[in-house]
Amino acid sequence: MPDDSELLNLGGLTSLVTKVNVSLWGNEISFECIYDPAGDRSPYTIVFHDCRNIRWEVFHPEDVDDLEADLIGIHLGEDAHRKAALIHTDIFEITILYGSFSVRKAENFHAKTTEIKTEILAPDAPATV
């Protein structure tokens, strides 16, 4: 089965999974990852929405305290609950029957983030930029 990381433009198999988040009672699952070619770490997140079935297998329980898992393969399956996606690492494997997915990429892992402030205006006050 061919790997789909190239379809996602993630640069091949030099990624690490750093965190898995399950939310909305299992209806959404996200994978925080780092693309790490030659130490130039760029974070990205893959989010599966409208999940109906998640199967999780831990291969090496002795490694569950590791901070990163090597991403061995990703297969997207088919959205709209037609064919399960597969995320395979050196520690675990997850299959997900999902409705849709998204990928969020950060431009620069080492860049500082800027705080965005929001002001609430009175209904009759003019807006300023």
Side-chain angles (χ1 to χ4, degrees):
M1 180 176 352
D3 185 79
D4 289 334
S5 60
E6 292 296 324
L7 292 176
L8 297 173
N9 197 22
L10 297 176
L13 300 176
T14 56
S15 288
L16 305 167
V17 177
T18 59
K19 190 173 187 180
V20 178
N21 297 305
V22 178
S23 58
L24 303 173
W25 302 109
N27 193 253
E28 184 173 280
I29 185 167
S30 65
F31 297 84
E32 292 181 20
C33 303
I34 296 174
Y35 175 56
D36 190 22
D40 185 23
R41 298 166 73 93
S42 300
Y44 65 93
T45 303
I46 301 172
V47 183
F48 292 92
H49 310 276
D50 190 21
C51 299
R52 300 283 171 89
N53 187 304
I54 301 170
R55 288 186 299 148
W56 193 311
E57 182 177 353
V58 177
F59 297 127
H60 301 286
E62 65 277 5
D63 293 334
V64 297
D65 290 328
D66 289 358
L67 298 178
E68 300 171 334
D70 293 325
L71 182 62
I72 295 172
I74 180 169
H75 306 284
L76 295 176
E78 294 181 29
D79 62 0
H81 310 104
R82 292 178 293 194
K83 187 175 178 185
L86 171 71
I87 308 287
H88 183 87
T89 75
D90 61 332
I91 299 173
F92 65 88
E93 181 176 271
I94 297 178
T95 57
I96 306 160
L97 193 61
Y98 65 97
S100 64
F101 76 94
S102 60
V103 177
R104 300 180 198 131
K105 297 180 185 180
E107 293 300 318
N108 184 349
F109 185 70
H110 301 291
K112 291 184 178 180
T113 56
T114 306
E115 184 177 332
I116 299 172
K117 295 183 180 181
T118 305
E119 293 183 23
I120 299 174
L121 301 174
D124 57 347
T128 59
V129 178

